[in-house]
Amino acid sequence: MGYKDKCKSYLSKIIYKMYQQGILKNPLMVADLDKTIEELLYSERSFVRFGDGEIRLIEGDKLPLQEADKILAERLQEIIGMHSDAVMIGIPDIFGSLEKYRPESRKFWKEHLLFFRKKYEKYCVKHYQYYDAFFSRLYYMYNNRELSRKRFEKIKQIWNNRDVVVIESKTAHTGVDNDLLSATHSVRRIICPESNAWSVYEKLLEKALQYEKNTIFLISAGATAKPLVVDLTKEGYRALDIGSLDMEYQWYLMKAEEKCHPPKKDCITMEQDRAAGYYEYVDQIDVIISGEK
């Protein structure tokens, strides 16, 4: 470990301990994962999740899969700071104790907080009830992985017997090769670009608004999911920003000890999907919206 890394690690531990001991005050309120899941299960509220990627976009930076965009940045800043009975806002549950996470995850989040804590405080509403953005990360980070089974089972009940529309990239394959969506009444899919999905935002929203109002949307589209959830909710739908939920569920089923790449993520053409036997998935696709050139 180099000198800079040692300094970063040391400082992150000191700052974290100062918050733990109450020397520094934490103004951000985040309901834990189980309370977040319960609220989603027993209400009809929509849900968006924010992390460091969205914070960076708000500040004008770009991400590997999303170019910087002024309008997107403005929408994200508006959403993370809004008060809404209809939309739950999620931020990472990292501002209190990190003891529930694995040692390597605790180290990562302590160092993350060293650089991003003040940024979250800048854009979030102090003492407002946020929810846990780790709704989409139920397995890999946790010490007690036995809790993952109960949590996944509860989450699957959210869309039990519902008509679901999944908005995702071509490689995502949410619910393919697993039973994440098996309890739904029906599944349709809108395929969006792998990168810069914001460039086709109006097309995505226009297509989504064609579905019946009892549809529940499950959206895995990076930062674009946030305004999409809010705008669909305004139109009377329920929409959930699920992020990498399918990947975490796949790892849970595999009992993976390290992050890995499921083979289904390599299928990027209809021919590859059919060759893999994903006929039901192919039939579920209503439209593929390509990136703008």
Side-chain angles (χ1 to χ4, degrees):
M1 183 184 292
Y3 176 73
K4 289 185 179 179
D5 287 334
K6 288 181 179 179
C7 288
K8 181 173 65 174
S9 179
Y10 177 76
L11 285 173
S12 66
K13 291 177 182 177
I14 294 298
I15 298 297
Y16 173 72
K17 185 171 289 188
M18 291 176 72
Y19 277 97
Q20 286 295 96
Q21 294 178 348
I23 299 170
L24 296 175
K25 302 299 181 182
N26 169 37
L28 300 181
M29 296 171 50
V30 185
D32 67 25
L33 182 55
D34 291 309
K35 290 179 181 177
T36 299
I37 294 172
E38 291 291 313
E39 182 67 20
L40 288 167
L41 181 57
Y42 295 112
S43 78
E44 281 294 311
R45 302 175 73 185
S46 294
F47 186 46
V48 295
R49 303 170 308 101
F50 280 79
D52 64 290
E54 286 72 32
I55 298 295
R56 289 170 58 192
L57 287 170
I58 289 172
E59 297 202 325
D61 294 338
K62 66 178 182 179
L63 302 178
L65 295 178
Q66 179 57 60
E67 292 294 329
D69 183 276
K70 182 180 179 181
I71 297 176
L72 176 58
E74 290 173 351
R75 288 295 313 271
L76 293 174
Q77 185 171 350
E78 172 193 344
I79 293 167
I80 198 173
M82 75 181 189
H83 293 257
S84 174
D85 292 331
V87 182
M88 298 161 55
I89 312 297
I91 60 176
D93 184 13
I94 55 176
F95 303 99
S97 172
L98 297 173
E99 295 309 305
K100 55 183 166 287
Y101 305 123
R102 301 173 73 191
E104 58 267 40
S105 295
R106 289 201 299 272
K107 180 179 183 296
F108 173 86
W109 290 115
K110 285 177 185 177
E111 294 180 1
H112 173 85
L113 284 168
L114 180 64
F115 298 102
F116 278 93
R117 184 188 289 269
K118 293 301 181 183
K119 294 181 185 292
Y120 283 107
E121 293 180 4
K122 177 181 178 181
Y123 296 110
C124 294
V125 179
K126 294 177 175 60
H127 309 297
Y128 178 72
Q129 184 61 74
Y130 287 93
Y131 292 86
D132 191 359
F134 293 155
F135 164 84
S136 64
R137 299 186 182 189
L138 300 182
Y139 173 72
Y140 183 78
M141 295 194 308
Y142 293 90
N143 279 321
N144 186 355
R145 290 177 168 179
E146 291 301 314
L147 291 173
S148 298
R149 179 185 61 80
K150 295 180 180 178
R151 289 167 173 167
F152 278 120
E153 289 305 314
K154 283 188 175 182
I155 281 178
K156 287 188 284 185
Q157 292 176 35
I158 296 171
W159 42 81
N160 182 48
N161 205 32
R162 296 288 297 269
D163 293 314
V164 166
V165 172
V166 181
I167 301 178
E168 62 181 358
S169 69
K170 187 63 186 68
T171 61
H173 291 80
T174 300
V176 177
D177 272 349
N178 62 50
D179 64 346
L180 189 62
L181 304 180
S182 63
T184 60
H185 180 263
S186 68
V187 178
R188 308 303 300 172
R189 298 178 191 264
I190 299 172
I191 303 301
C192 67
E194 190 80 29
S195 61
N196 294 315
W198 179 249
S199 69
V200 296
Y201 183 78
E202 297 301 329
K203 292 181 181 178
L204 290 172
L205 181 60
E206 180 184 10
K207 178 61 181 177
L209 291 174
Q210 296 175 16
Y211 292 92
E212 297 294 327
K213 282 294 194 293
N214 63 349
T215 299
I216 181 171
F217 287 91
L218 306 182
I219 306 175
S220 179
T224 300
K226 286 57 174 167
L228 195 52
V229 165
V230 171
D231 290 345
L232 285 170
T233 303
K234 289 177 180 177
E235 295 295 329
Y237 296 92
R238 189 181 191 195
L240 306 177
D241 171 16
I242 64 168
S244 58
L245 180 65
D246 178 84
M247 180 75 86
E248 290 275 334
Y249 189 51
Q250 203 77 35
W251 289 338
Y252 159 73
L253 294 174
M254 297 166 61
K255 300 188 185 304
E257 287 300 319
E258 299 297 335
K259 295 180 180 181
C260 58
H261 187 77
K264 68 181 181 180
K265 303 293 184 181
D266 293 323
C267 292
I268 57 176
T269 67
M270 295 293 193
E271 291 75 17
Q272 289 172 327
D273 284 318
R274 293 190 180 95
Y278 300 150
Y279 301 107
E280 184 178 23
Y281 163 79
V282 171
D283 289 342
Q284 291 169 348
I285 296 175
D286 279 346
V287 62
I288 298 177
I289 298 176
S290 301
E292 294 181 349
K293 297 181 180 179

